Amino acid sequence: MARPFVIEISEPEAFLEKSLKQAKTGFRKERLQMLWWIKSGQIRYRQEISERLGRSPATITRWLALYRQGGLAALLEERKAPGAIPQIRGETLEKLTQRLASEEGFRSYGAIVDWLEQECGLAMEYETVRQFVRNKLQAKLKVPRPRSLKQAPEAIATFKKTSASP
């Protein structure tokens, strides 16, 4: 086997075990498990850790380097990618939310796509606009259904009275 590695784990074994039991994500569990194994003396070689966790030795080396540099906080820090900057933002976003809230609204998501291109100069895909309006703005297109001109107002009132009662 490889040569034993030397690393000083500053946290007490009981703390690591308790943290491991309370960890909610696999990300934290793997890393805390590694530290607990080292602290409790169950593992002496980097290769053993990589075999038990199913990770490459290079990953284990990177985790240990993080721990050496910044301690437990650096090892358990979860970094998140910033993601793309939304195309609809600022003044355009305000205009869109106002228009969606107004009685005029939009008849379809295609109409929103056309409006964004004409009013704001944004060329966007239909599905992108639909997801943005539904998920981010949590707005729905408010267009009343057309009513028949032949419908009698008394029939509507009667229907509402009879359908409301259980």
Side-chain angles (χ1 to χ4, degrees):
M1 283 212 121
R3 62 185 170 90
F5 63 96
V6 179
I7 185 167
E8 183 62 36
I9 308 296
S10 57
E11 290 78 21
E13 187 178 337
F15 172 78
L16 290 173
E17 190 173 6
K18 182 180 176 186
S19 298
L20 179 60
K21 287 179 182 176
Q22 292 176 347
K24 294 192 184 327
T25 62
F27 176 88
R28 288 177 172 264
K29 285 180 184 179
E30 283 182 325
R31 294 165 188 231
L32 287 167
Q33 182 75 57
M34 175 187 72
L35 292 179
W36 182 69
W37 282 336
I38 294 168
K39 185 69 174 187
S40 63
Q42 295 180 32
I43 288 185
R44 294 182 35 213
Y45 302 101
R46 190 171 284 129
Q47 185 68 31
E48 284 181 83
I49 297 172
S50 69
E51 287 171 4
R52 280 194 185 183
L53 290 177
R55 297 287 188 162
S56 76
T59 301
I60 303 303
T61 302
R62 194 170 49 252
W63 289 356
L64 292 172
L66 272 172
Y67 182 78
R68 281 188 186 108
Q69 290 171 359
L72 188 61
L75 181 65
L76 298 179
E77 178 187 358
E78 291 188 49
R79 289 176 262 155
K80 186 179 176 199
I85 298 171
Q87 288 181 313
I88 303 173
R89 62 180 186 274
E91 188 178 320
T92 307
L93 180 62
E94 289 174 23
K95 284 183 184 178
L96 180 61
T97 51
Q98 286 175 359
R99 177 77 187 266
L100 284 167
S102 73
E103 286 184 23
E104 183 182 358
F106 292 99
R107 292 194 65 77
S108 67
Y109 293 107
I112 298 174
V113 171
D114 294 340
W115 181 82
L116 284 170
E117 192 168 349
Q118 291 169 0
E119 296 289 321
C120 306
L122 282 176
M124 295 181 69
E125 294 288 325
Y126 174 91
E127 187 60 25
T128 306
V129 171
R130 189 189 72 77
Q131 286 184 358
F132 184 81
V133 171
R134 293 284 293 172
N135 300 337
K136 299 288 185 199
L137 299 180
Q138 295 185 345
K140 294 182 180 177
L141 301 181
K142 298 175 185 172
V143 178
R145 290 187 163 199
R147 291 194 176 183
S148 172
L149 298 174
K150 297 177 185 177
Q151 228 173 11
E154 305 86 36
I156 296 172
T158 306
F159 176 77
K160 286 182 181 178
K161 287 179 186 176
T162 57
S163 65
S165 60

